[in-house]
């Protein structure tokens, strides 16, 4: 799956910001459609941070929508539907940094549980666990930011799913990769984040 160029990443972030601001100011969902990679179905998460603190994060783990549609929907949801935070106000957008993470399709790890940590590269892979009706996902930047090793990353993903920290011994475990683009400052230039400095998205 082709990685996005910085120009495409910039378009992605600008689309996310526009979607949020139009929705907050006019109450409508934009219908912008972009060409090229944006016509492909991709998983994506939109993360909002305010003064370095998480302000909202929601997305699609699986490539079920066109990338442009998924960005628009995840951006609006991150601003208005994240249950951990009150909805973002239009005025706040002057202080909020918009970040978009483009995901590769989750890959189920079909190995013995004791072997799982060997298949998880910190700084490259994000994780998702599933067990019954429970599921949890952590983006690749989470493990880097909190200096986790593979086992701790697995345990924290289990906890995110509302499961015991050792659930990775019996749950389904998936890994994926993410390409991160974000505003350097609110409304500023867009940069591609090389893992190490991105704010996490516990989603």
């Amino acid at each position: 799956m082709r990685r996005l160029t910085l120009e495409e990443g910039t378009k992605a972030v600008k689309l996310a910001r526009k979607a949020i601001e139009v929705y907050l100011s006019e109450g409508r969902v934009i219908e912008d459609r972009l060409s090229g990679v944006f016509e492909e179905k991709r998983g994506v998460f939109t993360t909002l941070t305010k003064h370095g603190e998480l302000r909202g994060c929601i997305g699609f783990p699986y490539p079920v929508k066109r990338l442009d549609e998924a960005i628009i929907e995840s951006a609006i949801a991150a601003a208005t539907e994240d249950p951990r935070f009150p909805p973002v106000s239009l005025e706040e957008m002057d202080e909020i940094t918009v970040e978009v993470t483009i995901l590769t399709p989750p890959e189920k790890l079909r190995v013995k549980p004791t072997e799982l940590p060997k298949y998880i590269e910190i700084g490259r892979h994000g994780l998702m666990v599933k067990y019954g009706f429970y599921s949890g996902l952590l983006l690749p930047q989470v493990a880097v930011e909190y200096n986790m090793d593979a086992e701790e990353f697995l345990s924290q993903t289990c906890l995110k799913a509302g499961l015991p920290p050792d659930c990775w011994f019996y749950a389904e475990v998936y890994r994926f990769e993410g390409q991160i683009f974000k505003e350097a400052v609110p409304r500023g230039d867009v940069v591609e984040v090389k893992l190490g400095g991105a704010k996490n998205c516990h989603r």
Side-chain angles (χ1 to χ4, degrees), residues 103-172:
L103 309 185
T104 61
E107 170 196 4
K108 186 174 181 179
L109 293 175
R110 303 179 185 278
V111 299
K112 294 179 180 179
T114 53
E115 298 289 307
L116 280 171
K118 297 179 183 178
Y119 289 84
I120 298 163
E121 184 179 333
I122 299 299
R124 178 182 179 186
H125 294 128
L127 292 178
M128 180 168 63
V129 298
K130 287 184 174 183
Y131 184 73
F133 294 106
Y134 295 90
S135 67
L137 178 148
L138 291 179
L139 294 176
Q141 47 266 52
V142 175
V144 174
E145 181 175 350
Y146 288 99
N147 197 29
M148 298 178 189
D149 60 22
E151 289 192 16
E152 185 178 2
F153 196 22
L154 283 161
S155 295
Q156 289 298 322
T157 309
C158 289
L159 291 171
K160 183 64 174 58
L163 294 164
D166 63 351
C167 84
W168 49 281
F169 281 96
Y170 53 84
E172 295 179 355

Side-chain angles (χ1 to χ4, degrees), residues 8 11-12 14-16 18-19 28-41 60 64-74 76:
E8 290 167 336
K11 289 181 180 179
K14 290 184 179 297
L15 180 64
K18 179 181 179 182
R28 67 180 178 89
V29 178
I30 62 173
E31 297 182 358
D32 298 38
R33 294 295 177 264
L34 306 179
S35 59
V37 70
F38 295 95
E39 298 175 282
E40 299 176 10
K41 290 183 178 181
F60 297 95
V64 295
K65 295 177 179 288
R66 283 175 51 119
L67 179 55
D68 47 16
E69 293 179 358
I71 290 171
I72 291 167
E73 292 186 29
S74 69
I76 293 171

Side-chain angles (χ1 to χ4, degrees), residues 89-105:
S89 68
L90 183 61
E91 293 71 27
E92 276 187 282
M93 291 304 295
D94 291 333
E95 304 174 77
I96 283 175
T97 300
V98 179
E99 175 182 312
V100 174
T101 303
I102 314 296
L103 309 185
T104 61

Side-chain angles (χ1 to χ4, degrees), residues 186-198:
R187 302 188 193 285
D189 292 339
V190 174
V191 297
E192 181 174 357
V193 177
K194 303 301 182 182
L195 283 179

